[in-house]
């Protein structure tokens, strides 16, 4: 049996976050060291937003240098903490300035469709009618190609009020569900932003959020504010084989 195609997803590096707690640069370095130490060499990397906390060119330069260290193809998408123009410039992404960053990439056996869910100035995510039309058109160009749909804000309901307050807005979630219902080639929807592992479902497809490489959100269903816990950081390995994706979430052991 052929080895699976491996796409590693890392998220929410928050490089440039104010000091005092963990060092986000060191956390990212440790995460990429852990990816490099995997017994199987991944085929590609995906960074699912909040790469930087401050949107500075210096933060993106550091992230780019770290991602390139592994010598693998890598793909980035924006989160609410990112600055689209600075991210675009640092990673040579198509488009101009503050325009949304949407693209598709043929990874070989698997197609990646990256969707920009950022609503500038807000923590919650949005997909307006223009964005939904764009996703529909992108998916329609390769209806037979197994596809992973990636974004920063998850189309999920978590049951944790402060997390639900920052997910993809309900109307956008319903709109995306309608698009997915017409595109069975989308096998999984993956996101970041929640700084927790959460699995849900949209239009019959599993929706997964992966941990942050930096700090994790606390499991507390009565929480009124976004609180941090002491869960370990981690990353996901999406293994595509036999027409299916198995998503493994790998914690990163600290010292
Ligand atoms: Fe984040
Ligand atoms: Fe975020």
């Amino acid at each position: 049996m052929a080895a699976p195609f491996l796409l590693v997803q890392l998220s929410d590096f928050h490089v440039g976050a104010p000091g005092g707690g963990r060092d986000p640069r060191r956390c990212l370095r440790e995460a990429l060291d852990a990816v490099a130490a995997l017994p199987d060499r991944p085929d590609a990397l995906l960074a699912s937003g909040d790469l930087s906390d401050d949107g500075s060119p210096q933060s993106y330069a550091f992230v780019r240098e770290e991602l390139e260290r592994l010598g693998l193809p890598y793909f980035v998408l924006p989160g609410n903490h990112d600055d689209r123009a600075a991210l675009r410039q640092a990673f040579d992404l198509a488009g101009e300035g503050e325009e949304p960053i949407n693209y598709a990439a043929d990874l070989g056996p698997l197609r990646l469709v990256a969707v920009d869910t950022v609503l500038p100035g807000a923590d919650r995510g949005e997909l307006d009618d223009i964005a939904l039309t764009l996703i529909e058109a992108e998916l329609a160009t390769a209806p037979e190609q197994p596809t992973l749909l990636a974004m920063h804000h998850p189309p999920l309901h978590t049951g944790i009020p402060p997390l639900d307050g920052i997910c993809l807005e309900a109307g956008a979630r319903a709109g995306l569900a309608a698009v997915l219902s017409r595109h069975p080639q989308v096998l999984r929807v993956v996101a970041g932003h929640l700084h927790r592992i959460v699995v849900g479902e949209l239009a019959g497809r599993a929706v997964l959020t992966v941990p942050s490489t930096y700090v994790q959100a606390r499991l507390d269903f009565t929480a009124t504010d976004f609180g941090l816990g002491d869960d370990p950081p981690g990353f996901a390995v999406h293994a595509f084989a036999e027409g299916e994706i198995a998503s493994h979430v790998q914690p990163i052991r600290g010292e």
Side-chain angles (χ1 to χ4, degrees), residues 156-158 188 194 196-201 205-209 247 249:
L156 275 182
H157 183 73
T158 69
R188 182 133 313 147
L194 298 186
R196 278 198 67 72
I197 306 161
V198 184
V199 180
E201 178 260 323
R205 263 50 66 88
V207 178
L208 170 73
T209 63
S247 296
V249 180

Side-chain angles (χ1 to χ4, degrees), residues 195-252:
H195 294 225
R196 278 198 67 72
I197 306 161
V198 184
V199 180
E201 178 260 323
L202 188 72
R205 263 50 66 88
V207 178
L208 170 73
T209 63
V210 309
S212 166
T213 57
Y214 176 44
V215 291
Q216 315 308 318
R218 198 174 62 232
L219 180 64
D220 179 357
F221 292 95
T222 59
T224 51
D225 290 315
F226 188 93
L228 297 179
D230 58 1
D231 295 318
F235 55 88
V237 181
H238 305 294
F240 176 73
E242 309 288 321
E244 294 179 21
I245 298 175
S247 296
H248 300 251
V249 180
Q250 178 61 47
I252 300 166

Side-chain angles (χ1 to χ4, degrees), residues 30-96:
E30 287 177 352
L32 288 165
D33 285 348
V35 173
L38 289 171
D40 305 281
R41 184 168 167 80
D43 295 287
L45 304 177
L46 167 67
S48 52
D50 286 356
L51 277 58
S52 158
D53 196 77
D54 60 1
S56 71
Q58 294 80 0
S59 293
Y60 292 123
F62 176 82
V63 172
R64 181 170 177 156
E65 199 174 306
E66 280 297 307
L67 290 175
E68 291 191 346
R69 183 159 66 85
L70 269 61
L72 296 166
Y74 64 87
F75 302 89
V76 303
L77 55 85
N80 50 306
H81 284 269
D82 289 308
D83 179 289
R84 279 180 181 144
L87 182 76
R88 173 169 267 132
Q89 185 162 30
F91 291 93
D92 306 318
L93 302 172
E96 297 286 331

